[in-house]
Amino acid sequence: MLNFRGCKEKGVKTVFLITASMSILVVAMIFLFLGKEGLSIFKEVPLSSVWVDKWYPVSFRKPQFGIIPLLAGSLLVTAIAIIFAVPLAVGTAIYIAEIAKPMEREFLKPFIEVLAGIPSVVNGFLGMVILSPLVKKVFSLSTGLNALTGGLMLGIMAVPTIISISEDAIRNVPQSYKQASLALGASFLQTTFKVTVPAALSGIIASVMLGIGRVIGETMTVMMVTGNAAIIPHSAFDSVRTMTATIAAEMGEVPFGSTHYHALFLVGFILLSITFLINYIAQKVLHKYRLGE
Amino acid sequence: MKSKIWNLFFSALAIAVLTGGCQKPAEKAGGQQEGYITIKGSDTMVHLVTAWVERYMQKKPGVDISVTGGGSGTGIAAMINGSTQIAMSSRDFKAEELKLVKDKGITPIPHTTALDGISVIVNPATTIDELTMEQLRRIFNGTITNWKEVGGPDQPIAILSRESNSGTYVYFQEEVLKKDDYAATARLIPSSAAIIQAAEQDQGVIGYVGIAYAESGKVKTLKVKKTAGEPGVVPTLENIKSGAYPISRPLYLFTNGQPTGESKNFIDFVFSPEGQAIAREVGYIPVK
């Protein structure tokens, strides 16, 4: 009987070990696969031909696979999204963690969770029919399909991620800090902005990093509202083509094993490396803050 | 002792799963031959082919046909991979695709089921009524960037194009741009409906869609002149059939080899007077 139990224990442990290491294995395999498919483009074209500002994958003249416009597009949209989302989300987090009454909190939190759960195609649709005409009107542009619309839509999508992690961080600031500050005669506002928020700063930064990770990988929404022109944007009102939208739009068409196919994998590999790096930094920052607790 | 029994049990389970896993796909492939057809490809044709399929399935209950879009290239790729019996495409196979097809032992046979005209559309507020083919080429390749260069007001031109997985994109590039590259500033829009949507709202835009789509929206369709001297032609059924309207193309259904069984019945239906009448109803030009 005991022997059986020991066996079972071991078996269960092994099963969980396998499931736990599965995600590591999957990430490693994806990296290997993307890297292999993507980097083999350099067998066909030199590195310099990928670092140009023209993305013309389908051309009767000369196909060109310059990733600069795609990289610039993704970065611009992400920057706009974060500039828009951070004040909104951090403000909300401070309110929920410090100011809101328990009842208000109970009321607000489900809505934020719903916001996180909206499918990106629905966001894209809303962006296309509501936000894009609005942006066009407000800035009197010829069309509302541009980086700004994409950035605003993505900002809305990043907000829930940033709120929930920032709120955790603010809430985890030890009560004694606040009490000390209040005891020294600081007002509530002073305590919040001079003591609580700085103490939670690394958590907030981590939440922003994770928000960036969420935004840079978003596909459907940006594909629907940014106009997808592969140019290096000069302003937020230019159309941009992000890396994600490029892969989504072109992967279905591309002949297997062609240069275009490898180019798309290269774009995917770069995208994965960026998100990986961002998440890694976020985890580092988060870890540091937890240790300091 | 117990652990041995468990080992036996697990290995038996493993064998059952493995052999079971082997049998299933074989069964499925066999089942597909009967009354189940998949058709994949051109977004332009989804409308039309769905109309055919609906009528055909009414007439022949028990036959199950699924139609999916995704673009001509997607359909052709599916045919190459063997994941569809019929591919719908608004363009012919490219040279590199034909090479792939040969390697896999597939012989795609085109069936020209109808003709499609491509309308050049602009925002309803645009004062321009007609453009020549050469002007269109220069607008879409980025040489002309302002409406005043073609006799309109001083307003920048915003180009709307389909994504590069679209058969319409490739066709327009070949026939109108004369194989030039599109201007880099062209906005690539994922669907025809979204192009209509954008053209309804935004000033100064120019785009292209199949004529059936152009009729569905509040957009202005331009007349097209083959050369500067000739009169502008409206893309109507008659003008496309007679060849007076310059931007039109065949819509293909591709089968692997000559169609047999249910695929053959379906394609026969498409070419029947009833099938061709449906093409006309939906907004395309019948070939028979």
Side-chain angles (χ1 to χ4, degrees):
Chain A
M1 196 60 206
L2 247 176
N3 188 19
F4 168 60
R5 197 179 253 177
C7 262
K8 201 167 135 193
E9 193 99 332
K10 250 187 203 163
V12 170
K13 264 189 189 165
T14 320
V15 167
F16 279 106
L17 182 68
I18 290 168
T19 48
S21 41
M22 197 62 98
S23 56
I24 299 176
L25 200 69
V26 168
V27 170
M29 298 283 266
I30 291 175
F31 251 111
L32 273 177
F33 180 69
L34 280 186
K36 182 180 144 287
E37 292 290 342
L39 296 177
S40 59
I41 189 178
F42 298 120
K43 284 184 209 152
E44 293 156 45
V45 295
L47 185 65
S48 58
S49 74
V50 175
W51 199 249
V52 292
D53 62 353
K54 287 201 169 59
W55 177 264
Y56 279 127
V58 178
S59 169
F60 290 96
R61 303 260 185 271
K62 181 176 177 282
Q64 292 199 65
F65 304 100
I67 56 169
I68 297 178
L70 310 182
L71 209 57
S74 279
L75 294 182
L76 178 63
V77 171
T78 307
I80 294 170
I82 291 306
I83 290 169
F84 169 68
V86 166
L88 193 66
V90 174
T92 313
I94 293 173
Y95 184 81
I96 292 179
E98 292 293 297
I99 305 167
K101 299 186 188 85
M103 208 185 71
E104 285 177 300
R105 192 178 300 151
E106 291 311 306
F107 182 74
L108 272 171
K109 288 209 80 166
F111 278 96
I112 293 163
E113 273 147 33
V114 168
L115 191 62
I118 297 176
S120 61
V121 65
V122 173
N123 273 319
F125 180 71
L126 293 178
M128 207 165 87
V129 267
I130 297 170
L131 188 63
S132 138
L134 197 71
V135 166
K136 185 190 113 181
K137 211 166 154 192
V138 170
F139 298 98
S140 46
L141 305 167
S142 67
T143 156
L145 298 174
N146 55 33
L148 181 65
T149 314
L152 292 180
M153 261 349 272
L154 287 182
I156 292 170
M157 298 170 77
V159 159
T161 312
I162 303 179
I163 290 178
S164 61
I165 299 167
S166 295
E167 191 215 331
D168 264 358
I170 295 168
R171 206 189 276 267
N172 278 338
V173 173
Q175 205 64 33
S176 54
Y177 286 24
K178 289 179 230 169
Q179 284 162 351
S181 166
L182 291 170
L184 285 171
S187 71
F188 176 72
L189 216 60
Q190 283 169 324
T191 308
T192 304
F193 285 101
K194 299 243 161 95
V195 176
T196 317
V197 171
L201 199 61
S202 53
I204 294 173
I205 292 172
S207 79
V208 173
M209 299 299 283
L210 289 173
I212 293 175
R214 165 94 177 81
V215 160
I216 205 165
E218 178 46 50
T219 307
M220 201 61 211
T221 309
V222 282
M223 188 155 120
M224 289 168 84
V225 299
T226 55
N228 303 321
I231 46 172
I232 295 174
H234 295 291
S235 80
F237 302 129
D238 279 342
S239 169
V240 292
R241 188 175 185 83
T242 62
M243 296 190 278
T244 49
T246 305
I247 297 173
E250 295 171 15
M251 208 53 182
E253 143 84 356
V254 63
F256 182 81
S258 61
T259 312
H260 186 188
Y261 173 90
H262 291 307
L264 289 180
F265 270 100
L266 183 68
V267 172
F269 182 66
I270 293 169
L271 188 63
L272 183 67
S273 307
I274 293 174
T275 29
F276 186 81
L277 195 71
I278 289 170
N279 274 301
Y280 179 76
I281 295 171
Q283 290 304 329
K284 277 273 157 190
V285 174
L286 210 56
H287 198 63
K288 196 179 148 206
Y289 138 82
R290 287 220 170 104
L291 282 182
E293 213 174 274
Chain B
M1 191 57 210
K2 283 266 167 133
S3 74
K4 260 187 191 165
I5 295 175
W6 275 100
N7 273 341
L8 269 176
F9 174 67
F10 278 123
S11 42
L13 196 74
I15 290 165
V17 167
L18 284 175
T19 50
C22 286
Q23 269 168 8
K24 264 187 191 150
E27 271 172 21
K28 216 175 175 185
Q32 272 192 1
Q33 298 301 321
E34 299 279 313
Y36 184 75
I37 308 177
T38 53
I39 305 178
K40 277 187 200 168
S42 165
D43 278 325
T44 311
M45 290 175 71
V46 165
H47 224 57
L48 171 67
V49 175
T50 310
W52 278 327
V53 164
E54 276 172 6
R55 189 74 61 84
Y56 184 74
M57 279 164 52
Q58 268 173 21
K59 288 162 70 101
K60 283 198 137 190
V63 179
D64 195 8
I65 306 180
S66 80
V67 183
T68 21
S72 296
T74 311
I76 286 172
M79 171 136 270
I80 295 171
N81 299 332
S83 59
T84 189
Q85 283 118 312
I86 301 177
M88 43 187 182
S89 174
S90 53
R91 62 167 174 83
D92 209 339
F93 275 59
K94 292 179 199 161
E96 46 189 323
E97 287 163 346
L98 277 177
K99 227 190 292 163
L100 283 172
V101 153
K102 251 187 209 142
D103 296 344
K104 299 229 173 178
I106 294 170
T107 40
I109 306 237
H111 308 271
T112 308
T113 57
L115 296 176
D116 180 28
I118 294 175
S119 297
V120 178
I121 57 166
V122 291
N123 182 265
T126 310
T127 50
I128 298 282
D129 291 317
E130 50 183 29
L131 289 171
T132 65
M133 288 290 276
E134 178 60 21
Q135 281 171 327
L136 282 177
R137 183 175 80 91
R138 287 157 58 92
I139 287 174
F140 277 91
N141 73 13
T143 322
I144 296 178
T145 56
N146 195 303
W147 284 106
K148 74 179 175 198
E149 292 171 65
V150 289
D154 182 6
Q155 186 181 36
I157 298 176
I159 303 165
L160 301 178
S161 161
R162 288 294 307 281
E163 273 288 354
S164 59
N165 65 347
S166 155
T168 322
Y169 174 99
V170 177
Y171 173 79
F172 202 83
Q173 186 175 28
E174 201 166 355
E175 292 302 313
V176 180
L177 275 85
K178 307 285 176 230
K179 304 193 177 183
D180 282 353
D181 288 321
Y182 283 91
T185 50
R187 285 172 164 75
L188 303 188
I189 312 290
S191 74
S192 294
I195 290 189
I196 297 276
Q197 162 93 23
E200 281 175 357
Q201 288 171 356
D202 302 345
Q203 271 99 50
V205 303
I206 186 166
Y208 58 88
V209 289
I211 52 165
Y213 278 102
E215 283 159 11
S216 69
K218 289 190 284 295
V219 292
K220 181 169 170 180
T221 302
L222 293 183
K223 291 182 206 164
V224 177
K225 298 194 277 191
K226 279 184 185 165
T227 57
E230 286 176 65
V233 181
V234 188
T236 59
L237 298 188
E238 290 70 30
N239 288 342
I240 292 165
K241 204 169 185 183
S242 70
Y245 185 74
I247 322 172
S248 75
R249 57 177 174 171
L251 299 178
Y252 300 107
L253 288 179
F254 282 96
T255 52
N256 178 14
Q258 286 301 336
T260 53
E262 210 50 66
S263 300
K264 181 180 183 333
N265 293 342
F266 176 69
I267 285 177
D268 287 344
F269 168 76
V270 166
F271 285 113
S272 71
E274 193 182 354
Q276 292 290 302
I278 292 172
R280 200 186 178 102
E281 273 165 41
V282 182
Y284 298 102
I285 296 89
V287 285
K288 288 211 170 146

